[in-house]
Amino acid sequence: MYIPEELVVKILAKASAASLARSQCVSKGWNALIKDENFAKKRFSQRSHATVIMLIENRVYLVSVNLHEIHNNMVEVTNQFSLKEPLSKSSEEVDICDIFHCDGLLLCTTKDD
């Protein structure tokens, strides 16, 4: 079945990185398109915001970055995650030393294990 290249470009520009990697196996044409530098530029030019998970001073932040208007290296902090010590009756937060993200799951390891 024939799909116009313009439509393929529009669809693939909205796909996640993992989906693009799998889509390279569809055909030689799709593989070449995905690897094309102009496609990458178009893909990222359509996105105006990126959400990034950052670890700053033992705290986890969800940060929104406007890809078109980055001024003076400023970003907007959307949320701060806090982890309370589960065995303590106090509201003391635990210090996070590493974060890992996979398939929507966020794993945080603490300094005191």
Side-chain angles (χ1 to χ4, degrees):
M1 183 163 103
Y2 174 74
I3 301 174
E5 185 173 342
E6 301 84 37
L7 181 58
V8 173
V9 169
K10 284 182 180 181
I11 293 169
L12 292 179
K14 296 179 186 290
S16 68
S19 294
L20 283 180
R22 288 190 300 266
S23 299
Q24 287 179 299
C25 300
V26 171
S27 70
K28 289 180 182 180
W30 282 32
N31 185 30
L33 175 65
I34 292 167
K35 289 183 176 182
D36 184 22
E37 185 177 320
N38 291 329
F39 171 74
K41 287 178 184 176
K42 180 174 181 155
R43 183 171 183 256
F44 289 109
S45 71
Q46 290 180 352
R47 297 185 181 198
S48 62
H49 284 82
T51 302
V52 180
I53 299 170
M54 298 179 71
L55 180 64
I56 304 171
E57 296 179 5
N58 303 319
R59 298 292 175 253
V60 178
Y61 296 90
L62 186 61
V63 177
S64 177
V65 180
N66 184 333
L67 300 174
H68 296 297
E69 296 180 14
I70 298 176
H71 301 291
N72 301 323
N73 296 326
M74 299 296 289
V75 295
E76 175 187 347
V77 175
T78 308
N79 287 314
Q80 175 186 354
F81 297 103
S82 61
L83 296 176
K84 308 290 185 200
E85 173 60 52
L87 302 177
S88 173
K89 292 184 180 182
S90 73
S91 61
E92 183 178 335
E93 293 184 19
V94 296
D95 290 333
I96 300 167
C97 62
D98 289 308
I99 56 175
F100 305 93
H101 178 264
C102 182
D103 294 331
L105 179 66
L106 186 66
L107 172 67
C108 300
T109 58
T110 60
K111 283 190 170 186
D112 59 356
D113 296 327

